[in-house]
Amino acid sequence: MKFIDSYKRLEKLCSEVYGDNHGVSAYIDEMVKKSDGAYCVSGWNEDLKQLKHYRWVRNQIVHDPNCSEENMCTPEDSQWINDFHSRIMSANDPLAQYRKTKRRSEVQRTKQNDISEEFIYIESKHEKSSHKTTGCFAFIIGIILLAAVAVLVLNVN
């Protein structure tokens, strides 16, 4: 009964997290909803496949009189369930990793937007100051030309 005990422990944890009597199924459903999960989290598909398999094994043991832990499970199956439970508890499970990855991406995007906005601000500030510089330069050139014309006019008279 080690597999069923491990599964029930995982079921209870997932039920508490999702507020659903079918906690492992709720966890699986949440993973299925994340269409980009496999791109964001290493091992996503393997974990999803294992969870679906163990849910099926549990259902077979509970509902099929010809199935038992002895003919359906190995000690490694119980160990995988226990390890997955530990991963949830330490926030190293696929959905926690997914949330962390998405949060990091959002932070990066925000930083990139901040940098872009700062660049645009600096660029527009530079353009304004270059317009001022151009205006000053044109004014000085105008005065020099006016002075040159005045000198020419005075020398001609």
Side-chain angles (χ1 to χ4, degrees), residues 77-96:
D77 296 327
S78 297
Q79 187 59 52
W80 191 93
I81 296 288
N82 290 333
D83 290 345
F84 196 80
H85 183 280
S86 295
R87 288 169 59 196
I88 291 175
M89 294 300 292
S90 64
N92 284 323
D93 61 289
L95 289 174

Side-chain angles (χ1 to χ4, degrees), residues 5-154:
D5 289 340
S6 296
Y7 190 91
K8 287 189 323 190
R9 186 169 163 248
L10 179 62
E11 182 76 35
K12 183 178 186 306
L13 175 62
C14 291
S15 293
E16 289 170 358
V17 169
Y18 289 100
D20 189 302
N21 289 336
H22 304 286
V24 173
S25 291
Y27 191 98
I28 290 169
D29 292 344
E30 194 65 28
M31 284 185 77
V32 169
K33 288 178 191 175
K34 312 293 186 206
S35 59
D36 59 344
Y39 298 105
C40 297
V41 178
S42 176
W44 179 275
N45 288 334
E46 294 80 8
D47 285 333
L48 181 57
K49 182 179 174 184
Q50 284 296 96
L51 285 170
K52 286 179 175 181
H53 172 70
Y54 288 132
R55 179 180 59 182
W56 177 83
V57 168
R58 179 259 179 211
N59 288 339
Q60 292 299 110
I61 293 169
V62 171
H63 298 292
D64 188 337
N66 297 321
C67 294
S68 68
E69 280 192 45
E70 290 76 25
N71 67 11
M72 295 288 294
C73 302
T74 67
E76 289 78 22
D77 296 327
S78 297
Q79 187 59 52
W80 191 93
I81 296 288
N82 290 333
D83 290 345
F84 196 80
H85 183 280
S86 295
R87 288 169 59 196
I88 291 175
M89 294 300 292
S90 64
N92 284 323
D93 61 289
L95 289 174
Q97 292 297 322
Y98 180 85
R99 286 187 293 274
K100 288 175 190 175
T101 300
K102 288 298 189 175
R103 210 173 300 127
R104 275 193 302 266
S105 295
E106 185 59 35
V107 167
Q108 274 184 315
R109 228 182 339 255
T110 300
K111 284 181 180 177
Q112 287 174 342
N113 287 344
D114 289 348
I115 289 169
S116 295
E117 288 173 10
E118 182 67 20
F119 179 74
I120 290 168
Y121 172 76
I122 290 169
E123 194 174 66
S124 69
K125 191 174 176 182
H126 174 72
E127 286 175 6
K128 286 178 184 175
S129 69
S130 71
H131 289 307
K132 287 179 184 175
T133 305
T134 304
C136 290
F137 185 71
F139 179 74
I140 292 170
I141 296 292
I143 290 178
I144 292 171
L145 287 174
L146 187 61
V149 168
V151 167
L152 285 174
V153 168
L154 289 176

